């Protein structure tokens, strides 16, 4: 089996590459990544001798076709995306370029080279948000698309395009919509790694609004195992939600990180809320459980301990990131918040 993994130098894509290399030693694995600010070859260093790496933009048609011609993949798993909601609020355009047009180019290549499966890694954010006072409500695959941010709108547009390529051209596609991931190699602009890095530096921990928004956290390896099942056993044309009933408020997460690191809660600083901030995400994973037998393996209390440990043990990985141009980003986003 020959698998092309786009965005494989990012957080989830990188974890997926590690997962696949270890689980399927006989597979040929090719990573295609533009190496944007979020892509990091250090993430792939432990498996570099087991994969081929191609630096390219998924929206660059000529480059993508050349890579398909060279490697002739059977399966394409598309993780490549602009992924940070706050950045999409500042500058939506690159989100449309990569997340929508990039997806189109990849699928055109899949048609041209007659691949066996195109898998789109989507997000629960395409469903919008749920009210805080309705804990009985969950996102199912039937929940209408109803987006809030330029990021989620671009991901929803891509999903619709993927479904259109299936219906119109018969492209063998699957889509997964996962909740918030956490774990190793998570870029420190996102909630959990940002709070760990700030706490370790005794810097303020910027909590948006009152910290009462809810996210449904999934350890990244559980996301990888779900995608593995979908690409091998999932039904073509179907959407699968992925999540593990691990809803937590942001303030709970931040306090937990402080507790694990032995740092004081006085570091918490409430800052201006995110524009259009989604209130609550919560996935109903019944379909993937019933059809493919998937269940998450890592409980939040264990996953967060493992994650904090990883950031303590791998300081060079993230300290390098936050010492560079990330400083300018941080100042711009949080300087006057
Ligand atoms: P990330 O930002 O950590 O990594 C994105 C990767 O894509 C980087 O390696 C980057 O260099 C690459 N990339 C960006 N633009 C590219 C382009 N034009 N061409 C080629 N490569 C490009 O993202 P992530 O958090 O790992 O998310 C991966 C995917 O999973 C995304 O599609 C995201 O929408 C989805 N997702 C993320 C989460 C989450 O909690 N992080 C949850 C559900 C779904
Ligand atoms: O639900 C899946 C989505 O999860 C993915 O599609 C996105 O790619 C991924 O980035 C993530 O989106 P969120 O916006 O939920 O993640 P983020 O880590 O940016 O924020 C999590 C929550 O924490 C959110 O309610 C905003 C809040 N937050 C975030 C940051 C960065 C803060 O309070 N302070 C912060 O500094």
């Amino acid at each position: 089996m020959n698998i092309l993994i786009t965005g494989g130098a990012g957080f989830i894509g990188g974890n997926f590459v590690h997962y696949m290399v270890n689980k399927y030693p006989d597979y040929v694995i090719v990573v295609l990544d533009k190496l944007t600010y979020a892509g990091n070859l250090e993430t792939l260093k432990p498996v570099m001798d087991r994969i081929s790496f191609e630096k390219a933009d998924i929206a660059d048609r000529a480059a993508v076709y050349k890579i398909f011609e060279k490697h002739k993949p059977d399966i394409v798993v598309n993780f490549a995306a602009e992924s940070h909601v706050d950045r999409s609020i500042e500058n939506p355009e690159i989100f449309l370029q990569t997340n929508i047009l990039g997806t189109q180019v990849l699928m055109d290549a899949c048609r041209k080279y007659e691949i066996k499966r195109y898998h789109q890694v989507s997000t629960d954010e395409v469903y919008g948000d749920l009210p805080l006072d309705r804990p009985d409500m969950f996102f199912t695959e039937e929940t209408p698309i109803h987006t809030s941010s330029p990021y989620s709108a671009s991901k929803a547009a891509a999903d619709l395009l993927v479904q259109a390529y299936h219906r119109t051209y018969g492209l063998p596609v699957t889509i997964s919509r996962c909740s918030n991931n956490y774990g190793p190699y998570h870029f420190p602009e996102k909630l959990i790694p940002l709070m760990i890095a700030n706490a370790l530096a005794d810097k303020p921990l910027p909590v948006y609004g009152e910290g009462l928004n809810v996210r449904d956290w999934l350890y990244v390896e559980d996301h990888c195992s779900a995608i593995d099942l979908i690409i091998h056993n999932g039904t073509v044309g179907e959407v699968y939600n992925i999540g593990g009933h691990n809803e937590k408020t942001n303030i709970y997460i931040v306090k937990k990180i402080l507790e694990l690191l032995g740092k004081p809660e006085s570091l918490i600083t409430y800052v201006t809320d995110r524009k259009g901030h989604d209130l609550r995400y919560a996935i109903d994973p019944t379909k993937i459980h019933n059809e493919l037998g998937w269940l998450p393996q890592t409980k939040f209390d264990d996953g967060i301990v493992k994650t904090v440990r990883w950031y303590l043990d791998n300081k060079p990985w993230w300290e390098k990131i936050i010492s560079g141009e990330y400083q300018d980003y941080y100042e711009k986003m949080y300087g006057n918040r």
Side-chain angles (χ1 to χ4, degrees):
M1 193 68 81
N2 191 338
I3 304 199
L4 177 71
I5 300 171
T6 69
F11 164 45
I12 309 174
N15 276 281
F16 186 69
V17 173
H18 286 244
Y19 179 95
M20 294 301 278
V21 160
N22 289 324
K23 183 158 179 197
Y24 301 103
D26 54 330
Y27 280 18
V28 175
I29 293 178
V30 181
V31 172
L32 184 168
D33 199 294
K34 185 181 172 182
L35 297 179
T36 67
Y37 79 93
N40 189 345
L41 280 181
E42 292 289 316
T43 300
L44 293 176
K45 213 169 165 185
V47 292
M48 217 36 162
D49 58 337
R50 295 282 327 282
I51 63 168
S52 302
F53 182 81
E54 299 281 359
K55 182 175 186 305
D57 183 337
I58 56 165
D60 179 343
R61 189 173 291 274
V64 167
Y65 284 11
K66 218 164 130 186
I67 291 165
F68 272 65
E69 183 72 49
K70 180 173 162 193
H71 295 284
K72 306 216 164 31
D74 298 304
I75 298 177
V76 175
V77 184
N78 180 26
F79 290 94
E82 287 293 333
S83 70
H84 192 33
V85 173
D86 292 327
R87 287 185 191 254
S88 84
I89 294 167
E90 290 300 305
N91 177 18
E93 194 156 327
I94 185 69
F95 285 73
L96 310 196
Q97 175 72 18
T98 290
N99 299 1
I100 307 174
L101 296 178
T103 297
Q104 186 217 353
V105 168
L106 278 178
M107 289 195 299
D108 284 341
C110 288
R111 288 182 62 212
K112 186 171 157 68
Y113 293 95
E114 298 179 338
I115 54 88
K116 296 194 181 85
R117 176 70 68 85
Y118 173 83
H119 181 74
Q120 177 73 359
V121 180
S122 185
T123 166
D124 61 357
E125 295 202 18
V126 301
Y127 299 124
D129 60 355
L130 296 164
L132 290 176
D133 60 355
R134 289 291 306 275
D136 56 311
M137 289 178 74
F138 296 93
F139 296 137
T140 72
E141 289 79 2
E142 310 308 321
T143 302
I145 300 285
H146 185 76
T147 57
S148 312
S149 70
Y151 161 70
S152 56
S154 70
K155 293 294 290 185
D159 281 14
L160 295 176
L161 208 52
V162 173
Q163 286 171 323
Y165 268 57
H166 173 60
R167 164 111 187 212
T168 306
Y169 305 117
L171 192 70
V173 306
T174 38
I175 297 175
S176 54
R177 295 181 179 147
C178 189
S179 60
N180 286 62
N181 286 213
Y182 68 104
Y185 302 111
H186 204 178
F187 193 88
E189 67 189 347
K190 305 284 172 66
L191 181 76
I192 289 181
L194 185 146
M195 297 300 164
I196 295 172
N198 280 19
L200 285 172
D202 295 309
K203 279 172 62 176
L205 270 49
V207 173
Y208 298 168
E210 295 175 50
L212 297 179
N213 302 60
V214 170
R215 297 293 183 264
D216 184 358
W217 294 95
L218 184 73
Y219 194 63
V220 62
E221 206 172 81
D222 283 322
H223 188 180
C224 296
S225 70
I227 294 175
D228 174 19
L229 279 174
I230 296 169
I231 60 177
H232 289 100
N233 305 328
T235 305
V236 164
E238 291 294 307
V239 173
Y240 294 91
N241 283 355
I242 308 172
H245 290 300
N246 254 314
E247 291 177 56
K248 310 280 178 211
T249 60
N250 295 337
I251 194 65
Y252 171 88
I253 299 277
V254 171
K255 287 184 177 173
K256 184 83 194 168
I257 289 168
L258 288 170
E259 181 198 314
L260 290 171
L261 291 173
K263 297 286 183 177
E265 289 190 5
S266 55
L267 286 175
I268 295 172
T269 313
Y270 293 94
V271 300
T272 310
D273 210 351
R274 175 183 278 175
K275 290 190 182 85
H277 198 171
D278 279 338
L279 295 173
R280 170 174 168 253
Y281 303 145
I283 284 275
D284 175 354
T286 304
K287 178 174 174 180
I288 188 166
H289 176 59
N290 286 349
E291 285 188 19
L292 303 178
W294 177 84
L295 274 179
Q297 299 300 313
T298 302
K299 291 197 184 74
F300 184 79
D301 284 347
D302 300 331
I304 193 69
V305 170
K306 277 206 271 186
T307 303
V308 167
R309 184 77 260 155
W310 189 89
Y311 279 86
L312 287 170
D313 292 344
N314 292 275
K315 281 189 178 170
W317 183 87
W318 56 271
E319 281 180 345
K320 204 162 156 189
I321 294 170
I322 62 174
S323 64
E325 64 187 35
Y326 179 78
Q327 298 270 352
D328 300 335
Y329 164 83
Y330 198 86
E331 187 49 38
K332 188 173 162 215
M333 298 301 252
Y334 295 95
N336 287 318
R337 197 151 185 162

